[in-house]
Amino acid sequence: MPVSAPKPGYTDPAIIRNFCIIAHIDHGKSTLADRMLQLTGVVDERAARAQYLDRMDIERERGITIKSQAVRMPWTVTDEAATGLDNTGPGTYVLNMIDTPGHVDFTYEVSRSLEACEAAVLLVDAAQGIEAQTLANLYLAMGADLHIIPVLNKIDLPSANPEKYAAELAGLVGCEPEDVLRVSAKTGLGVEELLSHIVNETPPPVGEADKPARALIFDSVYDTYRGVITYVRVVDGKLNHRDRIKMMSTNATHEMLEVGVISPEQVKAGELGVGEVGYLITGVKDVRQSRVGDTVTTQHHGASDPLGGYKHPNPMVYAGLYPIDGDQFGDLREALEKLQLNDAALTYEPETSGALGFGFRIGFLGLLHMEITRDRLEREFDLDLISTAPNVVYEVTMEDGSQIEVTNPSEFPEGKIAEVREPVVKATILSPSDHIGTIMELCQTKRGTLQGMDYLSEDRVEMRYVLPMGEIVFDFFDQLKSRTKGYASLDYERSGEQAADLVKVDILLQGEPVDAFSAIVHKDASYAYGVMMAGKLKELIPRQQFEVPIQAAIGARVIARENIRAIRKDVLAKCYGGDISRKRKLLEKQKEGKKRMKMVGRVEVPQEAFVAALATSGPAGDSPKK
């Protein structure tokens, strides 16, 4: 039912419908968006491609959405379609779809996108059922008071079980199983009915056109030629081309060079009115001046109260990134500056490691954010990098009452420590009920506390744990997947701090600490970590001309040790027969030489050993990551 797009400009709020799609990774969100773009005619057959709204190569390769996108689509409800609907008459409506990231690391961006909508399509795979991140995003949508439209996708799959999962979904949302829509985004089955249903069920936006302008920023991206492009949803008033605008969190003012809508390419408009979703270009070159969640108003006669819910996203995980070739340090700095233009949540500062040279300590929102950032640095800027093991932020209180924030094991203080506090998270695990025992065992080894357990259906269980964040940033997710044959899903959110018995384990080579291998671990797990790292380094470091001791130590106390035996020349090869004292004399002479060499010799750790040890090291008790 393709129609021509309504001309951008003033649009009556009564015909606007703002909605988003929330789903777990790989439940078909991007495919459904593709089908909607085709059916509404905003993307023609020639330009169409899979995952149309995912613009980055990494998004397309991994099949995940990292940056949210917005698109304006026209949809005409015919007389025939309108007869089955309660609140909607025939006519052409404007649909603004805001695509949201699916991963837990980007929960803040998801929450801001939800605030820009009036309804959410809750998309669930008819072959897999509800997963943890679907549940988390559903609770966010309910918290934002959105109308929920439950939809089962992939009903064309042979393994689909729509009846079972429709009942599960209905129980969660509070509707009847027959009210759950069934679609196949791949074939297009049921998508037209879904679009008409969205028009019928989504309330039109509410706002006051004669009040001072207020618009919510739900995303911003950096364009090489045009500067920062800010995506906004207008709540009150209107924003006109060439207005001077103010960002309410920073009080920065800019002139609007261009305003328009995304359909799905940018289309200029004269103004954006109540309920409209569009973009602003101000010529600003720094994305940190257009923060997600901030409120935009006009500089003159602007609003005095910002829209609620704004907060600055703080890093949850820190890791060091070092160039393998020391000459690339300047290139790495430039690359991080450019990447930060597109990612306001990225924070970094220079640091030096005795073992790895010059690099940066970088703060990330989570492990996926870290993985994507490193991947983009290596791919887009042609860098070879070593990353240290990720760690979280600890608060250390000394006996004299002073407090130290530790983002790096090398910052862990010496001396008398009164208390160490670590961040904890509330984790939700969804799994088939067969795997309850093995999940409980895993969470207990990670110092988790069970908060509650509910059966969503007779064979699916939701478990709620409080876990130390330091325990889940390594290979918790990998172990969870392997123990449950891939069926369990995990979602977590930050939930304050707790006191813990944590110690810093140093790895010493020939009595000298190597800062790159230091780690902050729980006291009970420190011995296992020390034994694992010492054993691994014994295999990775080549033998020297002299014996090298590898030690793991907590303060001055050594808890584990391995020796790398010296390469010895066979000095007895020329001795055949004769007195034993001659052989002993030669061995004593060699022993003296090795002793002198050990005093002046320095252990050279090859880069390959650092890469291998840091790529596989986790906290104590973890098996190496595959």
Side-chain angles (χ1 to χ4, degrees):
M1 220 180 295
V3 292
S4 59
K7 291 272 186 293
Y10 173 73
T11 306
D12 183 358
I15 66 162
I16 295 175
R17 301 289 186 269
N18 296 328
F19 74 99
C20 61
I21 306 172
I22 52 177
H24 189 77
I25 288 168
D26 202 31
H27 277 213
K29 182 156 62 75
S30 295
T31 312
L32 180 61
D34 290 346
R35 209 55 59 239
M36 287 179 170
L37 293 177
Q38 284 181 328
L39 282 171
T40 54
V42 293
V43 175
D44 62 29
E45 294 294 331
R46 283 184 307 166
R49 62 168 194 263
Q51 294 167 258
Y52 189 89
L53 293 179
D54 291 341
R55 303 296 170 95
M56 278 191 267
D57 289 342
I58 296 174
E59 289 182 312
R60 305 174 68 75
E61 278 174 29
R62 290 172 178 246
I64 57 175
T65 302
I66 296 164
K67 295 292 285 178
S68 53
Q69 300 282 348
V71 62
R72 176 185 170 113
M73 306 178 290
W75 182 247
T76 300
V77 178
T78 59
D79 294 336
E80 187 184 338
T83 53
L85 304 175
D86 302 331
N87 312 315
T88 306
T92 300
Y93 293 82
V94 173
L95 301 181
N96 287 314
M97 178 179 65
I98 296 170
D99 194 15
T100 58
H103 197 273
V104 61
D105 286 5
F106 308 111
T107 301
Y108 176 62
E109 281 94 327
V110 174
S111 73
R112 297 303 87 210
S113 296
L114 295 178
E115 287 291 339
C117 302
E118 277 77 37
V121 173
L122 177 63
L123 195 67
V124 172
D125 188 330
Q128 294 180 53
I130 295 159
E131 309 250 12
Q133 283 163 270
T134 320
L135 213 55
N137 287 343
L138 171 64
Y139 293 149
L140 276 176
M142 286 175 161
D145 204 21
L146 266 59
H147 179 77
I148 309 295
I149 301 169
V151 179
L152 280 177
N153 189 21
K154 304 189 185 182
I155 58 168
D156 57 314
L157 290 182
S159 57
N161 191 344
E163 303 307 321
K164 174 185 172 185
Y165 293 123
E168 206 174 278
L169 205 49
L172 199 63
V173 177
C175 65
E176 295 300 318
E178 50 270 19
D179 295 338
V180 177
L181 298 173
R182 287 128 205 250
V183 304
S184 167
K186 188 176 179 182
T187 63
L189 179 68
V191 180
E192 289 191 11
E193 290 78 6
L194 171 60
L195 284 164
S196 295
H197 194 79
I198 288 168
V199 169
N200 186 51
E201 294 288 318
T202 305
V206 177
E208 300 190 41
D210 51 356
K211 276 199 163 184
R214 288 196 306 172
L216 171 73
I217 299 177
F218 62 85
D219 198 16
S220 54
V221 295
Y222 179 74
D223 183 280
T224 315
Y225 303 104
R226 314 180 83 188
V228 176
I229 299 171
T230 305
Y231 295 138
V232 296
R233 147 77 198 267
V234 180
V235 177
D236 292 324
K238 62 181 178 182
L239 294 172
N240 291 304
H241 176 57
R242 290 293 178 189
D243 272 354
R244 285 199 69 81
I245 56 168
K246 182 170 84 170
M247 307 296 179
M248 294 188 79
S249 72
T250 59
N251 284 327
T253 59
H254 313 286
E255 184 181 358
M256 274 200 296
L257 304 179
E258 189 178 313
V259 60
V261 299
I262 306 113
S263 184
E265 306 308 324
Q266 291 163 6
V267 181
K268 279 187 191 178
E271 62 179 39
L272 289 178
V274 170
E276 288 203 85
V277 174
Y279 70 92
L280 316 173
I281 296 176
T282 57
V284 172
K285 298 292 183 190
D286 186 352
V287 82
R288 284 168 295 182
Q289 293 190 28
S290 290
R291 295 187 184 278
V292 172
D294 198 359
T295 304
V296 178
T297 188
T298 48
Q299 184 181 355
H300 305 294
H301 312 296
S304 53
D305 298 326
L307 299 162
Y310 171 73
K311 71 176 196 291
H312 184 57
N314 291 320
M316 292 175 79
V317 176
Y318 284 84
L321 275 185
Y322 296 84
I324 288 178
D325 178 359
D327 294 343
Q328 286 192 325
F329 175 73
D331 298 339
L332 177 58
R333 183 195 293 276
E334 277 181 38
L336 283 167
E337 283 170 3
K338 287 178 183 170
L339 207 58
Q340 198 178 40
L341 291 173
N342 236 330
D343 189 350
L346 195 70
T347 60
Y348 64 91
E349 57 184 37
E351 72 169 0
T352 314
S353 159
L356 299 173
F358 293 103
F360 291 91
R361 191 93 196 146
I362 306 181
F364 304 98
L365 296 173
L367 282 188
L368 180 78
H369 189 213
M370 172 181 157
E371 213 178 306
I372 286 164
T373 302
R374 182 181 166 176
D375 207 351
R376 289 185 68 186
L377 286 169
E378 291 187 334
R379 187 185 299 203
E380 295 174 22
F381 301 98
D382 201 23
L383 298 168
D384 289 322
L385 303 171
I386 298 176
S387 68
T388 61
N391 62 278
V392 296
V393 186
Y394 300 99
E395 290 284 344
V396 181
T397 307
M398 308 301 286
E399 286 200 343
D400 62 4
S402 60
Q403 286 199 330
I404 300 165
E405 186 179 76
V406 175
T407 60
N408 186 349
S410 63
E411 295 170 358
F412 200 81
E414 306 290 333
K416 293 189 176 178
I417 292 169
E419 186 183 59
V420 182
R421 297 185 68 79
E422 63 178 350
V424 292
V425 295
K426 278 183 186 166
T428 304
I429 299 168
L430 257 67
S431 166
S433 49
D434 310 351
H435 303 297
I436 290 174
T438 184
I439 292 171
M440 282 184 160
E441 184 196 345
L442 172 65
C443 291
Q444 279 163 5
T445 61
K446 301 288 187 184
R447 300 187 285 126
T449 311
L450 183 64
Q451 298 291 296
M453 193 163 76
D454 291 318
Y455 280 84
L456 296 176
S457 62
E458 58 190 34
D459 59 351
R460 279 174 80 75
V461 68
E462 176 193 348
M463 302 167 79
R464 294 181 299 282
Y465 270 91
V466 170
L467 286 155
M469 192 170 176
E471 296 283 355
I472 67 167
V473 297
F474 289 93
D475 68 346
F476 179 81
F477 188 62
D478 288 0
Q479 286 200 42
L480 180 68
K481 284 289 186 187
S482 62
R483 284 172 182 238
T484 60
K485 300 173 186 167
Y487 284 111
S489 59
L490 168 75
D491 184 81
Y492 60 86
E493 61 177 21
R494 182 79 180 266
S495 173
E497 294 174 331
Q498 68 179 18
D501 194 0
L502 298 169
V503 292
K504 178 188 173 190
V505 179
D506 282 314
I507 304 295
L508 303 119
L509 288 181
Q510 219 180 333
E512 291 290 319
V514 182
D515 55 355
F517 297 134
S518 299
I520 298 168
V521 295
H522 193 263
K523 195 172 184 180
D524 295 347
S526 57
Y527 173 71
Y529 177 77
V531 168
M532 179 200 64
M533 281 303 285
K536 190 177 289 170
L537 290 174
K538 183 184 177 183
E539 293 170 17
L540 294 169
I541 295 174
R543 287 168 69 182
Q544 315 283 321
Q545 292 278 358
F546 48 90
E547 188 178 30
V548 178
I550 302 169
Q551 296 167 307
I554 299 172
R557 185 166 61 89
V558 174
I559 56 169
R561 175 179 173 132
E562 292 280 0
N563 284 343
I564 300 173
R565 289 178 54 216
I567 302 170
R568 296 183 76 99
K569 181 183 173 186
D570 187 1
V571 292
L572 303 181
K574 59 190 175 186
C575 291
Y576 46 94
D579 189 42
I580 186 71
S581 60
R582 186 164 170 236
K583 292 183 179 178
R584 197 170 284 140
K585 185 182 171 187
L586 284 168
L587 287 170
E588 286 296 323
K589 190 178 172 187
Q590 187 188 37
K591 191 175 173 183
E592 285 296 316
K594 293 287 181 195
K595 205 171 180 181
R596 281 198 306 277
M597 193 181 283
K598 189 169 184 178
M599 288 167 71
V600 298
R602 190 163 163 269
V603 184
E604 289 292 330
V605 183
Q607 288 286 19
E608 299 77 51
F610 277 114
V611 173
L614 293 171
T616 58
S617 65
D622 285 353
S623 58
K625 238 180 179 176
K626 298 289 180 285

